[in-house]
């Protein structure tokens, strides 16, 4: 059963590779489904956060440390792949991923600023998130 599933996945992958215009089609899809990190309204989130007790607020900020580091690292680590892409189609596709990861990072930075009240931009958020990482996450 696993062998059949792997064979199906391999055929699907081969078909995507062989289909002309696959990357432009993915890019067109990306262009048609944009959203803005600046258009999100965090006023309800801020009010809900402020209604939590101190331990709950600290717990939520602690959890978000992993979210910050995940978005920050993926945004940073994808750039070399974009630069090393073998052709324009691959570069175009990877560029959409890099843009999306930075958009995700902007949302996390806005949550830290507008919901958690952490001022000072990415440096202050990184410092706070570094303090909140557990030992396992630091190792990873």
């Amino acid at each position: 059963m696993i062998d059949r599933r792997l064979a199906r996945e391999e055929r699907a992958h081969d078909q995507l590779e062989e289909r002309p215009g696959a990357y432009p089609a993915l890019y067109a899809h990306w262009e048609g489904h944009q959203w803005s990190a600046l258009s999100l309204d965090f006023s309800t989130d801020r009010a809900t956060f402020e209604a939590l007790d101190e331990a709950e607020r600290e717990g939520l900020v602690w959890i978000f440390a992993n979210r910050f580091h995940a978005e920050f690292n993926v945004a940073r680590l994808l750039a070399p792949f974009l630069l090393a892409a073998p052709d324009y189609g691959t570069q175009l596709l990877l560029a959409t991923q890099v843009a999306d990861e930075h958009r995700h990072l902007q949302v996390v930075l806005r949550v830290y600023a507008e919901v958690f009240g952490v001022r000072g931009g990415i440096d202050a958020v990184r410092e706070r998130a570094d303090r909140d990482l557990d030992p396992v996450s630091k190792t990873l």
Side-chain angles (χ1 to χ4, degrees):
M1 177 139 172
I2 292 175
D3 291 337
R4 281 185 278 174
R5 186 186 58 145
L6 290 174
R8 272 195 312 271
E9 288 175 5
E10 199 171 285
R11 282 193 306 276
H13 179 268
D14 290 344
Q15 288 171 352
L16 179 62
E17 289 297 316
E18 293 171 6
R19 190 174 66 198
Y23 290 151
L26 289 169
Y27 178 77
H29 176 79
W30 179 81
E31 281 286 354
H33 294 85
Q34 290 298 310
W35 56 278
S36 171
L38 301 177
S39 68
L40 301 173
D41 177 9
F42 292 118
S43 58
T44 301
D45 302 273
R46 178 71 183 170
T48 303
F49 181 75
E50 289 174 349
L52 299 173
D53 67 35
E54 184 65 27
E56 291 169 324
R57 283 194 301 271
E58 285 300 314
L60 190 57
V61 174
W62 179 81
I63 290 168
F64 248 75
N66 290 300
R67 182 65 184 201
F68 167 78
H69 281 288
E71 298 299 350
F72 177 81
N73 287 327
V74 172
R76 185 175 52 93
L77 293 172
L78 271 178
F81 288 94
L82 172 59
L83 295 174
D87 56 58
Y88 178 74
T90 306
Q91 291 169 350
L92 186 63
L93 182 63
L94 286 171
T96 65
Q97 299 306 298
V98 170
D100 280 344
E101 291 307 326
H102 281 276
R103 188 177 294 124
H104 300 163
L105 179 56
Q106 284 304 114
V107 170
V108 172
L109 292 173
R110 285 192 58 213
V111 168
Y112 268 93
E114 297 173 33
V115 177
F116 302 155
V118 176
R119 302 287 181 244
I122 193 167
D123 293 332
V125 171
R126 187 180 326 165
E127 181 181 310
R128 175 61 196 257
D130 285 348
R131 282 196 326 252
D132 291 335
L133 274 183
D134 60 84
V136 173
S137 296
K138 285 179 185 177
T139 301
L140 294 174

